[in-house]
Amino acid sequence: MPSEKPRLIRSIRLPVAAEKRIETDFIAPPPPDAPLDTPALLALAEKEQASAMLVTHHSPLRGADVAAIPACVKLVATVSVGLDHLDVPALLARGIKVSNTPDVLTDCNADLTMMLILAACRRAAEYYTLMKNGWGHTLGMDEMLGLRVSGKTLGIVGMGRIGQALARRARGFEMKVLYHNRRRLDPAQEEGATYFETLEDMLPHCTILSLHMPGTQGAPPLMTARTLGLLPRGSVLVNAARGSLVDETALIDALRSGHLFSAGLDVYQNEPHPNPRLLALPNIFMTPHTGSATVETRTAMSMLALDNVAALAAGKPLPSPVTA
């Protein structure tokens, strides 16, 4: 007699191909109409006696949440590369395996970051607003001028997979690339970029700064009034990593004063309700945390999460385990 299919739950509806795979290969309740919060996720896991939970940042598992996970759950598979919504040490201490989805979202996140750079430098939000309002007058030679991206100096904070992919794209714009990382990479991984041991030493050289560090729960912002002040006047800040990396009050002040020419943001301190003062600024281009939001990438992320569930059920090593 064939063994029972693995039992799982997910906190959010997945792309079509992944949902079809769940119907075929797993035992699972229907996908939720809206993302489940943590209490609803835990209640569903208990009800369904699921051996695995597929989660996203909508359902953080920290502190008391980890202790409340039903004993039936043996794997938390996050459909993300980031782990700041999970207390990984606590999960592992309970004997619950953890997996994530690295690599498959690298290119789309780097693509979106390049879009933010171009849109912030070339005043895309302001141009779009002007056109939606009917345009109405020919622009003069000195009106609504943006910044040329080609040839600028780009500073990358966090030279992991996405940082390296962005550096490759920046080379196509003949940009000079600098980077700051916890450690210097092997030359083969540097993508021709120049390493700075300290952030403070790098910032004065950056016309454009792009953040690619993971977020840490409770850590102070990386970009504060002091560090923003080290950037040259008229520079551009881009953040497609984590909203917690930026002091938004300091960012607003820098954008209003003209110290920053503009910003491109995909992430915010308060999601999905960004600071209204940010929304009111004309010199900012904003997207709603959509770095991986393509059919190809979200499908690949979901499939990798399901691969981990299938491996667990088969007693095989997880394809993308998180071990610390």
Side-chain angles (χ1 to χ4, degrees):
M1 177 182 293
S3 60
E4 185 180 71
K5 297 175 183 178
R7 304 180 73 90
L8 66 80
I9 61 169
R10 65 275 205 208
S11 65
I12 195 168
R13 181 186 297 273
L14 301 177
V16 171
E19 289 292 342
K20 288 183 177 179
R21 181 179 174 188
I22 289 173
E23 290 179 8
T24 302
D25 298 341
F26 302 90
I27 297 173
D33 294 328
L36 301 179
D37 61 16
T38 301
L41 178 78
L42 297 177
L44 185 62
E46 180 69 47
K47 176 184 176 183
E48 298 293 330
Q49 286 296 290
S51 61
M53 300 193 301
L54 271 65
V55 304
T56 65
H57 66 279
H58 300 94
S59 307
L61 295 168
R62 306 188 193 100
D65 301 324
V66 175
I69 295 174
C72 57
V73 174
K74 306 302 179 185
L75 170 66
V76 171
T78 182
V79 192
S80 68
V81 66
L83 299 165
D84 47 306
H85 56 295
L86 302 179
D87 187 340
V88 174
L91 288 164
L92 297 178
R94 272 207 57 187
I96 299 172
K97 296 181 183 295
V98 180
S99 67
N100 66 344
T101 58
D103 299 321
V104 294
L105 49 71
T106 297
D107 283 333
C108 278
N109 273 272
D111 288 350
L112 183 95
T113 302
M114 202 69 224
M115 182 183 83
L116 292 174
I117 291 172
L118 290 164
C121 287
R122 294 302 303 270
R123 302 178 72 160
E126 293 169 270
Y127 293 164
Y128 180 76
T129 299
L130 178 65
M131 295 305 298
K132 291 294 285 185
N133 289 335
W135 191 3
H137 72 280
T138 301
L139 295 176
M141 287 290 288
D142 60 348
E143 284 188 83
M144 297 191 74
L145 303 184
L147 299 177
R148 182 177 64 185
V149 173
S150 298
K152 289 293 188 292
T153 298
L154 169 66
I156 298 175
V157 184
M159 196 67 159
R161 299 177 184 89
I162 297 172
Q164 292 171 41
L166 176 61
R168 291 193 293 273
R169 285 153 176 76
R171 284 210 308 266
F173 287 83
E174 300 179 342
M175 301 177 81
K176 178 181 180 181
V177 182
L178 319 176
Y179 79 99
H180 167 65
N181 206 44
R182 286 178 296 179
R183 61 174 180 83
R184 182 168 187 173
L185 303 180
D186 294 332
Q189 296 177 297
E190 288 187 314
E191 301 294 343
T194 301
Y195 174 68
F196 281 77
E197 186 173 355
T198 70
L199 177 68
E200 289 78 5
D201 286 342
M202 183 180 77
L203 292 178
H205 302 281
C206 301
T207 320
I208 303 166
L209 184 72
S210 188
L211 307 181
H212 297 282
M213 289 176 57
T216 302
Q217 182 73 12
L222 179 75
M223 301 309 299
T224 62
R226 184 183 70 85
T227 49
L228 288 170
L230 294 175
L231 289 166
R233 185 171 181 83
S235 54
V236 174
L237 175 71
V238 168
N239 185 13
R242 287 293 181 267
S244 60
L245 296 176
V246 178
D247 179 334
E248 291 183 351
T249 298
L251 173 61
I252 290 166
D253 290 343
L255 288 166
R256 284 178 170 171
S257 71
H259 181 73
L260 289 182
F261 177 80
S262 62
L265 304 179
D266 185 50
V267 290
Y268 312 90
Q269 288 182 338
N270 187 29
E271 299 182 7
H273 304 289
N275 189 327
R277 294 195 298 148
L278 278 176
L279 298 172
L281 291 171
N283 54 337
I284 186 169
F285 184 86
M286 309 171 81
T287 51
H289 201 151
T290 51
S292 64
T294 65
V295 172
E296 298 88 347
T297 292
R298 290 282 174 86
T299 299
M301 292 166 67
S302 301
M303 291 299 194
L304 180 52
L306 292 173
D307 289 344
N308 280 279
V309 179
L312 176 79
K316 297 179 179 179
L318 302 185
S320 55
V322 177
T323 57

